[in-house]
Amino acid sequence: MAVMGREKPRQGFWGLWNISFGFFGIQIGFALQNANVSRIFQSLGTSVDDLAFLWIAAPLTGLLVQPVIGHYSDRTWGRLGRRRPYFLAGAMLATFALLAMPNAPVLWVAAVLLWMLDGSLNVAMEPFRAFVGDMLGSRQRTAGFAFQTGFIGAGAVIGSLAPIILTDVFQVANTAPAGGIPPSVQYGFYIGALALFFAVLWTVLTTSEYPPAEMAAFEDEGPVAPQDTVVRSSARLAPVWIALGAIVIAAVARFGLDKPVYLLGGGLIAFGAALLASAALVRSGRESNVLSQIVGDLGTMPQTMKRLALVQFFTWSALFIMWIYTTPIVTQHVFGTTDTTSAAYNEGANWVGVLFAVYNGVATLWAFVMPALAARIGRRDAHILGLLCGAAGFASFLVVRDQYVLIGSMVLIGIAWSSILTMPYAILSNALPQAKLGVYMGLFNIFIVLPQLIVSSVMGQVVRTFFPSDAVWAMLIAAGVMGVAALAMLRVERSA
């Protein structure tokens, strides 16, 4: 754990607000993307079977972009400071993508714009996590990340409901001719683009970062392991990762598994190749390259980060299962149909949007409870409580058959979601050296993205094989995995 020097000045309410307000706009962008991109793709002619492949952009761009942006933001200093140049650049690119996507003339243009949108949102988002650690002392970081969580929940609610509000309140058309995007989606993206840009601009203009010399006075860095040694050591495992990837690819071909599983095998091979390449660069005397430094940072993660990474892996596996299967579960078990053309199915699908707005709204409210809860029982135990609430919420889907009772399930999941967005980062930021806060926050994202890639690759095969006619059992898996995350959290020190 980093050893703290002089404590950073305390921020008041508006200081905490300004530090995280940009996240409100970023989350509106993410919510518009999550709720409407499949609709845009289908409007432009893609089939349902191809949606998963097109959606792989989201986790892949996060996996690639965030560690690199974190690495460079740790080393940046200019007129706008350390993190703010990345906020602004990402917001400008994301604004352009949001304005352009609902006007895409053909499918391939929309697909390219999705990669651009998700990549630029990640550029803007990644430094915000490190920014809280930069600006706040240890005692205020729970409150700082709770403010972020509040803005994430509020932005998600607004972004998710924007097209519905435009249609129901302002009578904007919700349909379009074949090959076109409904005006409600178009105007929703335009409003989201403006909200994103000006929210990020607010944070850029109302905050000022500590210069490098002053930042160094706040914290004394502990010893750092020699990274060239770590990189060479990591390369010894490269053949193992490559062999595992080859086995996965061979299994897909041999047993006819889902084609997205190829991506998992290819990812394992790519990781092994990256380890070999980074070691080769170090041996040639070029150890200062980005790849070798990121591999070295991955190998020298603090113990607390390693333990939290395991928690994140199980946590986000459960969340991704929920995001994939809530609609088919609710439409079948609560609204009594699997016919996607029926009125009952579409009524159920709309209700899922309401349920998702509920858990994001609860997350916003619970964010104001967490600082006091963490002060009373500790950050670790507060997070365990949140994860157990989430597990109970997932498990309840097996027995609940009333659409309004499901709101209670989503309240429990909202408490978990609030904790997931707050506590791991509050704990982690106190365990990291300040000089590497950006890159480690980016690397931490791997353990959010990796389970999403695995779940999206294999869960379809699991559902078809073990419960082909009833996806509700996927929620039992989600509940179990979330429970394992709570158990894994016991390995994190209570004082963290």
Side-chain angles (χ1 to χ4, degrees):
M1 181 179 293
V3 179
M4 295 303 297
R6 180 165 62 90
E7 182 74 7
K8 292 171 185 170
R10 288 187 63 82
Q11 297 280 348
F13 175 86
W14 289 110
L16 294 171
W17 177 288
N18 293 339
I19 288 169
S20 291
F21 186 67
F23 229 121
F24 173 68
I26 292 171
Q27 195 59 39
I28 289 176
F30 269 120
L32 283 165
Q33 170 186 296
N34 292 340
N36 297 286
V37 164
S38 290
R39 183 178 184 178
I40 291 172
F41 284 156
Q42 287 185 285
S43 297
L44 294 174
T46 193
S47 69
V48 174
D49 293 339
D50 292 330
L51 286 176
F53 177 76
L54 292 168
W55 263 104
I56 209 70
L60 277 181
T61 50
L63 182 67
L64 298 173
V65 168
Q66 290 210 25
V68 174
I69 294 299
H71 171 87
Y72 281 113
S73 71
D74 284 339
R75 290 159 172 77
T76 295
W77 185 258
R79 291 182 62 185
L80 286 178
R82 188 184 193 187
R83 315 291 182 189
R84 290 179 297 158
Y86 297 92
F87 302 164
L88 189 57
M92 292 172 68
L93 291 171
T95 298
F96 171 79
L98 283 169
L99 293 172
M101 180 170 282
N103 295 294
V106 291
L107 179 62
W108 72 265
V109 174
V112 169
L113 287 169
L114 173 60
W115 282 83
M116 179 180 178
L117 174 60
D118 204 88
S120 54
L121 287 172
N122 275 283
V123 169
M125 180 183 71
E126 197 285 330
F128 263 101
R129 299 290 191 194
F131 191 51
V132 172
D134 289 347
M135 301 298 293
L136 301 178
S138 173
R139 297 186 183 119
Q140 272 201 298
R141 284 177 180 168
T142 300
F145 285 110
F147 260 77
Q148 273 195 3
T149 297
F151 284 129
I152 289 171
V157 170
I158 291 172
S160 298
L161 298 180
I164 298 173
I165 293 171
L166 286 169
T167 298
D168 292 348
V169 178
F170 297 99
Q171 305 302 308
V172 176
N174 196 39
T175 58
I181 310 300
S184 61
V185 175
Q186 291 179 322
Y187 293 140
F189 271 63
Y190 301 158
I191 294 169
L194 294 174
L196 186 154
F197 181 76
F198 285 109
V200 172
L201 187 64
W202 178 280
T203 290
V204 170
L205 296 178
T206 60
T207 59
S208 57
E209 300 183 63
Y210 297 112
E214 191 172 359
M215 184 68 75
F218 290 127
E219 182 172 353
D220 299 322
E221 301 290 353
V224 178
Q227 290 200 331
D228 56 345
T229 304
V230 173
V231 170
R232 290 192 183 98
S233 177
S234 299
R236 296 172 188 167
L237 295 175
V240 176
W241 293 111
I242 292 172
L244 285 173
I247 291 170
V248 169
I249 290 173
V252 176
R254 174 66 179 82
F255 299 107
L257 303 179
D258 281 350
K259 287 188 172 50
V261 183
Y262 278 122
L263 293 169
L264 178 60
L268 293 170
I269 293 173
F271 181 64
L275 295 179
L276 291 174
S278 63
L281 289 167
V282 167
R283 284 195 298 271
S284 68
R286 290 179 287 171
E287 60 275 351
S288 61
N289 69 89
V290 176
L291 176 61
S292 296
Q293 290 189 14
I294 290 177
V295 169
D297 290 329
L298 186 62
T300 56
M301 289 190 300
Q303 190 67 29
T304 297
M305 181 173 172
K306 293 177 181 177
R307 292 174 177 175
L308 283 171
L310 184 64
V311 176
Q312 292 290 86
F313 179 86
F314 290 119
T315 298
W316 286 84
S317 296
L319 289 170
F320 211 57
I321 291 171
M322 177 190 72
W323 292 330
I324 292 172
Y325 291 106
T326 298
T327 295
I329 289 170
V330 170
T331 52
Q332 180 180 358
H333 283 272
V334 179
F335 288 81
T337 183
T338 58
D339 180 6
T340 58
T341 64
S342 67
Y345 179 92
N346 285 287
E347 183 183 353
N350 285 344
W351 187 249
V352 171
V354 174
L355 294 176
F356 278 22
V358 166
Y359 88 74
N360 279 293
V362 169
T364 300
L365 298 175
W366 192 253
F368 295 99
V369 175
M370 281 189 295
L373 180 65
R376 185 174 182 82
I377 67 174
R379 291 165 173 159
R380 187 198 74 167
D381 291 348
H383 192 42
I384 290 173
L385 176 63
L387 294 174
L388 291 175
C389 285
F394 292 143
S396 70
F397 274 74
L398 276 74
V399 296
V400 173
R401 295 295 181 269
D402 183 276
Q403 69 185 93
Y404 298 104
V405 177
L406 278 178
I407 291 175
S409 303
M410 284 301 178
V411 169
L412 291 171
I413 292 170
I415 291 171
W417 181 231
S418 190
S419 187
I420 289 163
L421 294 174
T422 302
M423 291 304 174
Y425 298 99
I427 295 170
L428 182 64
S429 62
N430 288 332
L432 298 177
Q434 189 74 53
K436 290 183 176 290
L437 199 54
V439 69
Y440 275 129
M441 286 291 185
L443 289 170
F444 197 53
N445 187 61
I446 291 174
F447 304 100
I448 295 174
V449 172
L450 186 60
Q452 294 181 49
L453 290 173
I454 293 174
V455 168
S456 63
S457 297
V458 306
M459 198 63 195
Q461 190 74 42
V462 170
V463 170
R464 278 195 301 275
T465 301
F466 295 103
F467 26 87
S469 61
D470 198 350
V472 72
W473 295 103
M475 282 298 193
L476 182 61
I477 296 175
V481 172
M482 190 70 91
V484 172
L487 289 174
M489 193 66 197
L490 291 171
R491 299 177 65 244
V492 177
E493 294 181 6
R494 182 175 274 111
S495 60

